[in-house]
Amino acid sequence: MENRNLNYPLRSKGLLAPEPKNGVVSREPLPLLSTEALATITDTSKSTWEKMRMRGEGPPYIKVRNLVWYRWADVEAWLAAHEVSNQGGV
């Protein structure tokens, strides 16, 4: 029988998720980002995203208890909506 230790530290950070298939738990990556990962990707601080959440700004997020995740697709869409094209010639 497969070890059913769900590896809580990784799972809680949105890196791994158990998915029951035919009674067996498999671990597949989710397209979710933690606040820390989002800050790293955007070269900003974790507190920037925390403040944006408090003000109702930023991409949609998922919150379960004290854990926050961002869907990769939502982040991409939010960044695309804030894209600035270079209209001037310098």
Side-chain angles (χ1 to χ4, degrees):
M1 179 174 221
E2 182 183 32
N3 180 2
R4 290 186 178 247
N5 177 349
L6 298 178
N7 203 348
Y8 181 77
L10 290 175
R11 186 171 50 92
S12 69
K13 293 182 179 174
L15 299 175
L16 298 174
E19 293 184 13
K21 291 182 182 175
N22 300 326
V24 177
V25 175
S26 66
R27 293 176 182 83
E28 297 179 16
L30 287 177
L32 298 176
L33 299 169
S34 65
T35 305
E36 295 86 359
L38 184 55
T40 300
I41 289 169
T42 58
D43 197 24
T44 57
S45 68
K46 179 181 169 188
S47 66
T48 296
W49 294 100
E50 291 168 347
K51 290 173 188 173
M52 289 176 77
R53 279 198 310 266
M54 289 174 52
R55 293 190 302 250
E57 301 171 358
Y61 61 94
I62 300 165
K63 185 169 186 176
V64 178
R65 296 184 188 165
N66 64 336
L67 304 173
V68 175
W69 297 291
Y70 296 88
R71 286 185 187 96
W72 180 247
D74 291 339
V75 171
E76 285 184 312
W78 186 82
L79 290 172
H82 288 82
E83 183 176 344
V84 177
S85 61
N86 186 358
Q87 296 293 326
V90 177

